[in-house]
């Protein structure tokens, strides 16, 4: 069965100046959609690939197909990580952040440093590894599920994620999104893998 572009879980104008409707038109409607279209073309051309789930392909594909399916998964997950309503980490997630980073502000600074310090296109990420929260980053289409990590949060740092609203200023984009537009309830759901499976099924 062909992969499909998941609908955004909010209106594309819901974020005001933080993320414009024009950015969603291009980022979701053009870039994410192109990954879906190209992945379906590659799968349609190879009978051995047909019937495999998105995650199966992310874990096994190489080269061009990996780039497409990795980006489908990353974007489906990224949309779910965003909230047009400002939220704060609470409960178990807040306790884990305080234990592993000292404070939510300190975690946000580490995520921002990962986003800003990442050379070229890719993703800043927060994973759960061995019961601890870990900040990392991935190049290009690389994807936490390809490494067996439990992903909690990813932030797109490809230029197409911020160039319309923030031009070349990746630090301003990372700062604004991490401080104002993260769905920390979704991040908390991912501690037991629930949110990740929602992204897996979205496409
Ligand atoms: Mn992107």
């Amino acid at each position: 069965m062909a992969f499909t572009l998941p609908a955004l879980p909010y209106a594309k104008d819901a974020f005001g100046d933080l993320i414009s409707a024009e950015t969603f038109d291009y980022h979701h409607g053009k870039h994410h959609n192109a990954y879906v279209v190209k992945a379906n073309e590659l799968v349609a051309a190879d009978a051995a690939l047909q019937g495999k789930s998105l995650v199966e392909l992310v874990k096994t594909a190489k080269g061009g197909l990996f780039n497409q399916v990795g980006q489908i998964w990353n974007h489906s997950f990224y949309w779910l990580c965003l909230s047009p309503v400002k939220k704060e980490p609470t409960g178990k997630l807040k306790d884990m952040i305080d234990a592993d980073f000292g404070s939510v502000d300190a975690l946000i600074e580490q995520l921002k440093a990962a986003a800003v310090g990442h050379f070229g296109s890719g993703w800043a990420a927060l994973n759960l590894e061995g019961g601890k929260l870990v900040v990392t980053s991935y190049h290009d289409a690389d994807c936490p599920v390809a490494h067996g990590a439990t992903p909690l949060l990813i932030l797109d740092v490809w230029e197409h994620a911020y160039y319309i609203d923030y031009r070349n200023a990746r630090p301003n984009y990372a700062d604004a999104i991490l401080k104002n537009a993260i769905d920390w309830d979704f991040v908390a759901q991912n501690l037991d893998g629930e949110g990740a499976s929602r992204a897996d099924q979205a496409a």
Side-chain angles (χ1 to χ4, degrees), residues 27 31 35 71 75 78-79 123 156 158 160-161:
H27 197 179
H31 291 279
Y35 299 128
Q71 286 293 75
H75 284 88
Y78 171 61
W79 307 132
W123 301 82
D156 195 336
W158 285 60
H160 67 223

Side-chain angles (χ1 to χ4, degrees), residues 88-110:
E88 304 285 346
T90 59
K92 180 184 173 188
L93 175 63
K94 172 72 161 57
D95 292 343
M96 293 177 74
I97 290 170
D98 288 345
D100 291 340
F101 298 96
S103 68
V104 173
D105 287 348
L107 166 61
I108 286 174
E109 287 307 308
Q110 284 206 27

Side-chain angles (χ1 to χ4, degrees), residues 1 3-4 6 32 35-36 39-40 43 49 51-61 65-66 68-77 143 145 196 198-203:
M1 200 174 85
F3 299 117
T4 56
H32 190 175
Y35 299 128
V36 172
N40 285 334
V43 169
L49 299 173
K52 293 187 185 298
S53 72
L54 182 65
V55 167
E56 286 176 308
L57 290 177
V58 168
K59 289 181 174 176
T60 57
L65 179 60
F66 177 81
Q68 307 307 324
V69 294
Q71 286 293 75
I72 295 174
W73 194 95
N74 282 336
H75 284 88
S76 296
F77 194 74
C143 180
V145 293
R198 278 172 62 195
D200 297 345
Q201 292 159 13

